[in-house]
């Protein structure tokens, strides 16, 4: 019997912890504001508004009768066409609209992919530290989230030689997340491609989550060469988020890319859990993909600048070690080796007005770290972290 409920519920759901971000945000109610406004570095929220022209187009779509109707299960045709063309240009491959489906955010894309590729009692390798929603999804589906350790001394980049011994008859897929949430690590192309080769060799799928693809370091325009040729169709599933790239997370727009035969199967899942993705953003994004290219590049430059400012703000405090930084995130080693990460994060929030997430939210063996969402606030706010962290003691 689940506490507080009259009747039993699915234990696979009951045994999963509550969403962690609201728990952490509750700590801020005890901050008295004495050091200035709260600096919220917890949830990965775009730190800039959507482009004004995109908002105008979405407003027109939201006010139209057509935009209020159901759309195709796999997404509006114009968006799938524009997105597939953009992917083909970026990755120098042949990707058609039939190889894509639009989802209500990238979390929906992950859920659908996992439901398709594995079933209860099977396993999926997740890089650890992992994105907690990935782990929660697998637990609720009865799929084992098998940790693939990623270590600080390797820049939190997973290694094929660590993954291969973990693959047995239960493993159906390996998940990669690059740029990574929570560490910010950017996986080199040769590592991603080596994992694709491993998956092909072992007859399992590679699921690559590229939610933060548009925030790669300057000069790095293509994360990998997986889509060159046709071999990817046998084993590769790619996930993406329009939400972050176009600063529209509330409009819940993501995508999954795979061979058309897999997309046909995913459509069965999407029909049951969303019927169709929200229409408002879908109407405006085909225009935005090309028209806002320079705007996205400016945002990428700004996010990379914030990463640099964050590093400069922590430089006078060598006891705090930035083990990894990239795209939206930094993975910060705190200077209290005997303390739990949650104890450190909670005290930072309540006494210094800086809200980060404890590493313990991101899987086993993460008590030494905090995740910092550096994209949430401007560079001027990040500069103020020096004073907030200075002299902090447990």
């Amino acid at each position: 019997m689940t506490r507080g409920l009259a009747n039993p519920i699915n234990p696979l759901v009951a045994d999963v912890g509550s969403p962690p971000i609201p728990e952490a945000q509750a700590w801020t109610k005890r901050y008295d504001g004495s050091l200035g406004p709260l600096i919220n570095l917890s949830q990965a929220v775009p730190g800039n508004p959507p482009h004004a022209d995109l908002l105008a187009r979405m407003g027109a779509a939201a006010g139209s009768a057509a935009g209020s109707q159901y759309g195709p299960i796999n997404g509006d045709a114009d968006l799938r066409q524009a997105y597939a063309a953009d992917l083909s240009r970026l990755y120098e491959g042949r990707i058609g609209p039939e190889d894509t489906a639009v989802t209500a955010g990238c979390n929906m894309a992950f859920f659908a992919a996992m439901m398709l590729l594995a079933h209860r009692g099977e396993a999926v390798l997740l890089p650890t530290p992992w994105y907690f929603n990935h782990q929660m999804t697998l637990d609720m589906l009865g799929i084992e989230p098998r940790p693939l350790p990623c270590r600080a001394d390797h820049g939190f980049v997973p290694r094929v030689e660590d993954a291969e011994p973990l693959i047995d008859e239960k493993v159906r897929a390996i998940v990669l997340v690059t740029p990574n949430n929570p560490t910010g690590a950017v996986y080199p192309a040769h590592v991603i491609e080596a994992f694709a080769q491993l998956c092909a060799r072992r007859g399992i799928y590679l699921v690559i989550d590229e939610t933060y693809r548009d925030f790669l370091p300057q000069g790095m325009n293509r994360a990998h060469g997986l889509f060159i040729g046709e071999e990817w169709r046998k084993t590769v599933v790619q996930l993406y988020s329009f939400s972050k790239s176009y600063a529209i997370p509330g409009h819940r727009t993501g995508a999954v890319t795979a061979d058309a035969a897999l997309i046909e199967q995913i459509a069965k899942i999407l029909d049951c859990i969303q019927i169709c993705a929200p229409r408002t953003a879908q109407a405006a994004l085909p225009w935005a993909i090309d028209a806002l290219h320079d705007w996205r590049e400016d945002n990428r430059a700004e996010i990379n600048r914030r990463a640099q400012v964050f590093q400069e703000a922590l430089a006078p405090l060598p006891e705090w070690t930035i083990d990894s930084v990239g795209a939206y995130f930094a993975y910060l080693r705190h200077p209290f080796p005997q303390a739990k990460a949650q104890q450190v994060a909670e005290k930072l929030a309540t006494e210094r007005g800086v809200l980060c997430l404890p590493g313990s939210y991101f899987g086993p063996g993460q008590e030494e770290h905090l995740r910092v969402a550096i994209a949430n606030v401007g560079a001027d706010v990040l500069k103020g972290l020096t004073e907030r962290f200075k002299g902090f003691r447990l």
Side-chain angles (χ1 to χ4, degrees):
M1 182 78 68
T2 303
R3 187 173 62 186
L5 297 176
N7 296 301
I9 63 171
N10 182 351
L12 293 177
V13 176
D15 292 345
V16 171
S18 299
I21 289 179
E23 176 186 11
Q25 290 175 339
W27 303 333
T28 64
K29 296 176 182 177
R30 290 183 275 134
Y31 172 57
D32 62 12
S34 58
L35 298 180
L38 175 75
I39 301 176
N40 190 340
L41 306 175
S42 61
Q43 192 169 20
V45 179
N48 58 283
H51 192 280
D53 291 345
L54 179 61
L55 284 174
R57 287 171 180 267
M58 288 195 300
S64 71
S68 301
Q69 300 300 311
Y70 285 134
I73 294 169
N74 283 345
D76 289 1
D78 287 350
L79 178 54
R80 295 174 72 197
Q81 181 68 51
Y83 178 57
D86 187 56
L87 285 175
S88 297
R89 286 192 299 268
L90 179 64
Y91 291 107
E92 300 178 14
R94 186 183 67 82
I95 301 165
E98 68 278 6
D99 300 320
T100 69
V102 181
T103 60
C106 196
N107 271 5
M108 179 76 79
F110 181 81
F111 186 98
M114 293 301 102
M115 192 174 184
L116 177 68
L117 301 182
H119 60 73
R120 184 171 180 169
E122 295 184 327
V124 169
L125 299 192
L126 286 187
T128 309
W130 53 41
Y131 174 42
F132 48 75
N133 282 151
H134 286 174
Q135 173 256 325
M136 292 169 69
T137 293
L138 292 175
D139 281 346
M140 287 188 285
L141 289 172
I143 301 166
E144 176 194 350
R146 189 169 296 180
L148 170 58
C150 301
R151 295 182 289 273
D153 57 355
H154 288 106
F156 291 103
V157 174
R159 304 193 308 168
V160 165
E161 54 266 42
D162 293 329
E164 188 143 22
L166 299 173
I167 300 171
D168 57 22
E169 68 282 354
K170 292 174 61 178
V171 172
R172 301 302 307 132
I174 298 175
V175 174
L176 299 183
V177 183
T178 181
N180 187 258
N181 178 6
T183 66
V186 177
Y187 301 168
H190 70 87
V191 170
I192 297 170
E193 290 157 13
F195 269 95
Q197 293 165 9
L198 169 64
C199 290
R201 187 167 68 249
R202 299 298 296 267
I204 61 177
Y205 285 92
L206 175 66
V207 179
I208 180 164
D209 184 333
E210 296 190 83
T211 292
Y212 301 96
R213 182 198 78 190
D214 292 325
F215 303 97
L216 289 167
Q218 296 299 122
M220 184 179 179
N221 295 320
R222 192 183 76 188
H224 54 76
L226 295 185
F227 292 116
I228 297 173
E230 294 294 304
E231 287 301 306
W232 68 272
R233 295 182 176 278
K234 299 176 183 177
T235 57
V236 173
V237 177
Q238 189 243 26
L239 313 179
Y240 178 67
S241 170
F242 296 99
S243 301
K244 298 298 192 298
S245 298
Y246 296 90
I248 52 171
H251 288 280
R252 310 310 304 133
T253 316
V256 55
T257 299
D259 182 71
L262 275 183
I263 295 296
E264 287 180 6
Q265 300 301 313
I266 283 178
K268 301 175 186 177
I269 301 169
L270 297 182
D271 187 40
C272 292
I273 57 179
Q274 69 176 26
I275 298 181
C276 66
R279 305 291 309 288
T280 298
Q282 289 196 71
L285 283 169
W287 165 83
I289 286 173
D290 286 332
L292 297 187
H293 177 270
D294 291 345
W295 179 81
R296 296 201 310 276
E297 284 297 300
D298 289 345
N299 287 341
R300 171 163 73 151
E302 173 59 21
I303 296 302
N304 285 323
R305 186 172 80 89
R306 291 179 192 181
Q308 182 61 41
V309 170
F310 176 76
Q311 293 174 82
E312 292 168 356
L314 273 289
L317 308 169
E319 66 272 23
W320 296 86
T321 304
I322 301 172
D323 277 338
S324 183
V325 62
Y328 264 52
F329 305 108
Y331 213 51
L332 183 65
R333 185 186 299 269
H334 65 73
F336 309 104
Q338 304 308 312
K340 298 289 188 182
Q342 182 163 329
Q343 179 186 3
V344 179
E346 185 171 355
K347 194 166 185 181
L348 266 175
T350 58
E351 295 189 2
R352 298 302 175 96
V354 179
L355 182 60
C356 310
L357 296 185
S360 52
Y361 284 1
F362 300 96
Q366 306 303 313
E367 293 290 358
E368 296 181 334
H369 288 91
L370 306 177
R371 189 197 76 172
V372 184
I374 55 176
N376 290 19
V377 298
D380 56 333
V381 176
L382 292 171
K383 290 176 182 177
L385 292 176
T386 309
E387 292 303 315
R388 297 284 182 109
F389 278 82
K390 186 182 294 183
F392 175 78
R393 296 288 181 269
L394 287 181

